[in-house]
Amino acid sequence: NKPAGRPPKTDKSLKESLLDAAVSLFARTGVANTSIKDVGVAGGATPAMVYYYFKSKEDLVEEVISARFLPIVSEIWHFEEGEFADPLGMTAGLQKRLIEKALALPWFLPLWSREIFSENGVLRNHITKFVDSLPIRRFIGALRQGQQDGTINKDILPEMMFMSLIGATMLPMLTGKTWESILHEPIEMERIALHASSLILNGIRPA
């Protein structure tokens, strides 16, 4: 027999639906503007059912971060050992994975823009804590070694390379629709992605 108060769906299916609903709402309206009731309505559950899985809104936020957002960031930052010996290929691979996730997950770019780029973003501190577990220092070190070897432009700042990559990739993808309406001509997302890749990879090659 099911314990009293247990939702009719299986634990896994309803919980996953609620997490999907939450991450989409966080991307669309922001964490601060999303209520437990909003998540329940979007996920097909009552507030009581949401609270069955998540003790509080903060608990829900933590689970969205750990179950939805951070695994994607980890995949983007996954390198094979040999990649660090080729800083140009390493950077291309990092940007390629970032673009793939941005194209595959409609919530990824808006969530990053709203909750991490913004100084008041709720997720900003969470991702900052997580950064130490990523191979960022090895990425920077590989770029510096490339500069010494003459394979990477000596004028770039390796420690700013990822943020430059983020800006050159995410901002055009986020604002593509706005520029379409201003210019009155279509701008395909795949073309924006190719533009961003060319911009970064040609920029880090030796002058």
Side-chain angles (χ1 to χ4, degrees):
N1 292 331
K2 292 181 180 179
R6 176 171 286 247
K9 283 188 180 182
T10 64
D11 277 358
K12 185 175 180 181
S13 65
L14 182 53
K15 186 174 183 180
E16 292 298 308
S17 294
L18 292 172
L19 287 171
D20 289 340
V23 75
S24 295
L25 286 169
F26 291 170
R28 193 180 317 137
T29 62
V31 174
N33 296 322
T34 300
S35 67
I36 288 291
K37 181 180 179 181
D38 294 333
V39 174
V41 170
T46 65
M49 292 163 73
V50 180
Y51 281 117
Y52 176 84
Y53 294 107
F54 311 102
K55 294 177 292 186
S56 63
K57 181 178 174 181
E58 180 60 27
D59 186 42
L60 171 61
V61 171
E62 291 283 353
E63 188 119 12
V64 165
I65 293 167
S66 62
R68 289 292 183 272
F69 192 71
L70 294 186
I72 299 302
V73 176
S74 294
E75 288 179 33
I76 291 171
W77 272 97
H78 174 75
F79 295 98
E80 299 299 332
E81 188 60 34
E83 286 186 81
F84 293 106
D86 174 15
L88 189 63
M90 171 194 70
T91 305
L94 178 64
Q95 187 176 36
K96 179 175 182 289
R97 292 188 294 274
L98 174 63
I99 289 171
E100 287 173 347
K101 295 303 181 186
L103 292 174
L105 302 169
W107 54 263
F108 185 71
L109 286 179
L111 185 66
W112 194 292
S113 173
R114 184 182 292 275
E115 297 295 342
I116 295 175
F117 283 164
S118 170
E119 289 188 7
N120 298 319
V122 173
L123 304 189
R124 190 181 180 115
N125 288 337
H126 293 277
I127 194 70
T128 301
K129 296 173 189 174
F130 180 68
V131 162
D132 283 342
S133 67
L134 301 174
I136 291 178
R137 296 187 188 283
R138 294 197 68 186
F139 175 77
I140 293 171
L143 289 171
R144 286 174 175 159
Q145 185 61 52
Q147 287 179 315
Q148 293 178 20
D149 297 340
T151 59
I152 295 294
N153 190 328
K154 295 185 184 301
D155 292 331
I156 70 162
L157 281 173
E159 57 270 33
M160 292 301 296
M161 192 61 234
F162 180 62
M163 291 312 299
S164 298
L165 187 152
I166 286 279
T169 305
M170 286 190 171
L171 188 58
M173 295 181 80
L174 278 165
T175 59
K177 291 298 180 183
T178 300
W179 281 102
E180 277 189 345
S181 63
I182 291 172
L183 300 174
H184 304 293
E185 59 183 72
I187 305 175
E188 296 177 359
M189 192 64 77
E190 289 74 13
R191 286 290 301 154
I192 295 175
L194 181 61
H195 159 81
S197 296
S198 298
L199 200 63
I200 288 294
L201 297 181
N202 287 324
I204 69 172
R205 287 188 173 96

